[in-house]
Structure formats: structure tokens, C-alpha cells
Amino acid sequence: MKLSPRQTQLLRQTFLDYRQSSDFLKRPLVLHRAEGLYYWDAAGRRYFDAIGGIFVASLGHRHPRVVEAVKRQLDVMTFAPPLHGVADVTLDFVEKLASVTPGNLRFVKPFSGGSESVESAFKFVRQYFKQTGRGEKYKFIGRYHGYHGSTFGAMSASGTGKRKTKFEPLMGGFFRVLPPTSLRDRFDSWDECNRFAARMFEDVIVHEDPQTVAGVIVEPIGNTGGIITPTEEYFALLREICDRYDVMLIFDEIITGYGKTGAMFAAQTFDCMPDLICGGKGLSSGVLPLGAMIARQDMGEAFFGPAEEEIQFAHGSTFAGNPLACAAGIAVLDEIVEHDLCEKARRLGRYLFIKLEALKKYGVVREVRGRGILLGVELVRDLKTNEPFPELGRALQEVALDNGLIMRIDPSWFAVAPALIAEEADLDEMTDLIDRSLKGALEKVRACA
Ligand SMILES: Cc1ncc(COP(=O)(O)O)c(C=O)c1O
């Protein structure tokens, strides 16, 4: 699309997330309108949104039920002070979210996004250990390729190379292990690789001294590494290891939550009970910024007592539990539960998986992975060597956009997570666009070779 000189200038007065503006200006995308599964740019061109914005519009854009709930709340109250009051709708949201979380993960604090939820979880766990007699525990172990947010704690837990090295030194007390995908070619089987990758957490806990380790944080399905999808046994081992060393298992479900993987949370999909869940993104289907830190109720109880003991969580944020965002969150969760959208994600996921597998005909797809409708496709130059093919991904970025398709392309893999309002016919349209775009990108790359 063509930008006006004013828009071009304005793009130099701001920045895009993790993206070079000069590069973006070569093929800019200024969005103006969105509805359901589609975006329209400022020039009126339509795009199929295969990724729900960025794993956010879980029920599609401007879902009527969510928009209606926010409109109703707009007429009642738009802000409540989290320091000396709480909105009734915020408490309703706490109740609603706690009703769909696994086990006794019923202690809920709403926030305005993912980074905030992760940051809060780290602080919560450290304070929890301090006031339950284990104050030496402060270290966290995450994974390379993991992404937990842009703030200092969340970034320190992440393993995303240049996204973090530019800001080093990061916070102390954060360690990382490799995800199973980074090790898979060294093992005969994926199961064995997963066992080894899970045991690396134990090795690090032991070497760091278990008395000092507070938590392990993982995305159940890791996005930035290319929809890394460990085995169920991996999670069972993580749980066992965390129990053995009195370490909190934190699931970053900012992408994997709210139905996408075929259950409300990936914790249920993988049948593994974490101690905390961090939420964000799809929780409001993108209607308003909303995140949540969810913890075991008994952990929450450790923060409740006489005021003079000062054991309340020493944390806060002005927009936490915003009434409009909470109204949106309630509507999203109601819609998922009432229409059994988790089951729909499983059904659509099976259909979509087969369609994506069909891309193997181009000889550049190593693997399709993920769960439910959260799926990723790994691109390689050669199926014998499995060498990555970033030029193909970069060409795919351009061709997909030219074809009116928005996905997450990184560039050695791409991911899709269509909104749960999609039907098979929509997935046909989406996968036709993907097929056409991959074919076009391959032609482009081969023409340049
Ligand atoms: C897995 C994961 N965790 C945390 C975050 C941070 O969330 P936010 O950008 O809402 O702060 C993201 C954002 O992309 C994410 O994908």
C-alpha cells in the first residue's frame, strides 16, 4: 500500500515492535478496520487474519458479544482505583476466570497485558517464599527461544538472543536451558529428546543449589522458537522435578490460553498442573488490554493476614483490573464455555493440521506441529539436511501480504492461530492463501538463486 508523506513521517516518529521501520516502510501495512477473520488496510484492501492479530483476537475482531459487554460497562463505570477500591465487575472477572482454571488455581489478579502478568508472577513467587520461611529462593529458570515479555524481569527470563543482549546486563537470578527442538537431531527419538530436555531443568536446579531456586517458567507451546510442542511426558517430568526441589512451575499461557490448544489452558491439554499461570493476549479477544496472574489459592492465602504483618502482595498497577477490560474478559470466557469452543478448537485443529501437512508436497516443510488451532510449519532448504531456509520465510512475508494474508513468519517457520469463530470453509480459504503464498515465495526465491 502507498503511504502519504505525513504517514511516512509519522512512522519515523514512532516505532514498530521488534521491527526496523525502514524495512517496514518498503512494504507498509497501515490497518484501519477489522471484523471477524479480516482486517482492512487504510486503502480498503482486505486481509485474512490467520493469527488473530498476534494470537490475540481469539474470537475474531470486534466480536459482538464482547463489544456489547464493553458498551454496557461504558455506561456504568470506566475506571476504578486498584489502590483504595475495586470494581464489582473486576470481582466478577476474578470469579469467572477462577471457574475455568485447572485445579486450585483460583487466586486471580487481572493486569493489562502479558509482560505485566509475568513480572507480577516473579515478584509474587519471591515474596511468597520470603514469607513462608524460604527467603533464599529467588532464582528462575526459563528456556532459550522462550519469550515472556519486554519488561526487565520478563526479558531476563526470556531466551531470545538479540532481543535481550542489547539491554544486558539483565536482572540477576535468571537461568535458561535449551528447548527440546534445539536438541532433537542429537537423539534417535523425540520422546528421548524430551526426557533429556526436561532433565536439564533438574541439572540446573541442582547446580544452582535447590535452596536458591524459586521457579521454572515455560510457554507450554513455545512460539518464538517455532511452535515448540513438547511431549506430555516432558511436562510430567517438569512437574516431578519442581515438586522434588520445592520449585514453582509457572506456565506462560499468554498465547496458549483460552481454548486455542483444545482446552481452556494448555495445562489441561498436556495434563500438567502448574502452580501459576500467566495470561494475556486472547483473554479479551483484543477488545481491550487484559492479562492475569493466576496462582494456587493456598499461595494466595499466604498473603492474607493482619495488616501489621505487612504480608499483602507489595505490588500494584493503576490499570490492573480495569472495569472495561474485565467486562470484555467475562464475555470472552462465557462465549468459549457456552459454545464449547475448546472442542471446536480440537475439531478444527485436526482439519487444519491435515491441510498444513499437505504443504509437504513443496519439499520444504520439515514438520507441522502444535495443538488445536495453534499450529506451526517449519521450513527447510533440504529435507535431507534440514538446513533452515530463512530466505524462503522472508519471501513468504512479502508474498503473503501481497496475497492478502497475515500470519506470523519468523522466517524459518510460520504459525497460524485462526480465531475460534472460523469454520472449515474459512480454513479452506486460509490454507488456499497459504498454499498460494508458499508456492509464490518458492518461485521468487528460486528465481533469485
Ligand atoms: C508467550 C508470551 N509471553 C509474554 C508476552 C508479553 O505479552 P505483552 O506483549 O502483552 O506484554 C508475549 C507477547 O508476545 C508472549 O508471546
Side-chain angles (χ1 to χ4, degrees), residues 17-18 54-56 112-118 146-151 154 158 163 217-224 252-256 278-281 289-291 408:
D17 286 14
Y18 300 110
I54 183 71
F55 305 105
V56 169
S112 305
S115 305
E116 233 184 281
S117 310
V118 170
Y147 179 73
H148 300 294
S150 54
T151 47
S158 302
R163 277 192 186 182
I217 181 164
V218 291
E219 297 160 72
I221 294 180
N223 168 48
T224 36
D252 174 341
E253 295 234 29
I254 286 155
I255 286 180
T256 54
C278 301
K281 289 198 186 272
L290 180 63
R408 171 86 160 88

Side-chain angles (χ1 to χ4, degrees), residues 132-196:
T132 54
R134 290 159 289 173
E136 294 154 70
K137 281 185 169 285
Y138 71 96
K139 294 175 184 169
F140 292 95
I141 307 169
R143 280 194 313 217
Y144 288 105
H145 285 300
Y147 179 73
H148 300 294
S150 54
T151 47
F152 254 91
M155 180 175 56
S156 301
S158 302
T160 43
K162 287 193 178 143
R163 277 192 186 182
K164 64 188 180 70
T165 51
K166 291 176 202 288
F167 307 101
E168 287 173 348
L170 302 179
M171 282 180 63
F174 286 87
F175 302 84
R176 277 164 289 277
V177 301
L178 287 164
T181 35
S182 301
L183 300 162
R184 67 193 148 156
D185 293 329
R186 300 181 200 169
F187 290 88
D188 288 337
S189 78
W190 179 235
D191 284 342
E192 190 49 37
C193 170
N194 273 264
R195 271 176 224 128
F196 183 89

Side-chain angles (χ1 to χ4, degrees), residues 191-269:
D191 284 342
E192 190 49 37
C193 170
N194 273 264
R195 271 176 224 128
F196 183 89
R199 288 191 190 114
M200 278 174 65
F201 279 101
E202 179 163 27
D203 293 338
V204 175
I205 292 172
V206 169
H207 284 277
E208 281 302 320
D209 178 0
Q211 303 289 342
T212 65
V213 180
V216 156
I217 181 164
V218 291
E219 297 160 72
I221 294 180
N223 168 48
T224 36
I227 308 297
I228 297 170
T229 313
T231 59
E232 285 187 14
E233 190 188 3
Y234 175 90
F235 292 105
L237 285 169
L238 279 195
R239 184 65 273 176
E240 239 176 79
I241 293 164
C242 288
D243 285 344
R244 194 171 311 134
Y245 299 100
D246 192 18
V247 165
M248 294 299 154
L249 180 57
I250 307 170
F251 275 4
D252 174 341
E253 295 234 29
I254 286 155
I255 286 180
T256 54
Y258 341 110
K260 286 190 197 80
T261 69
M264 191 58 85
F265 291 95
Q268 291 139 323
T269 298

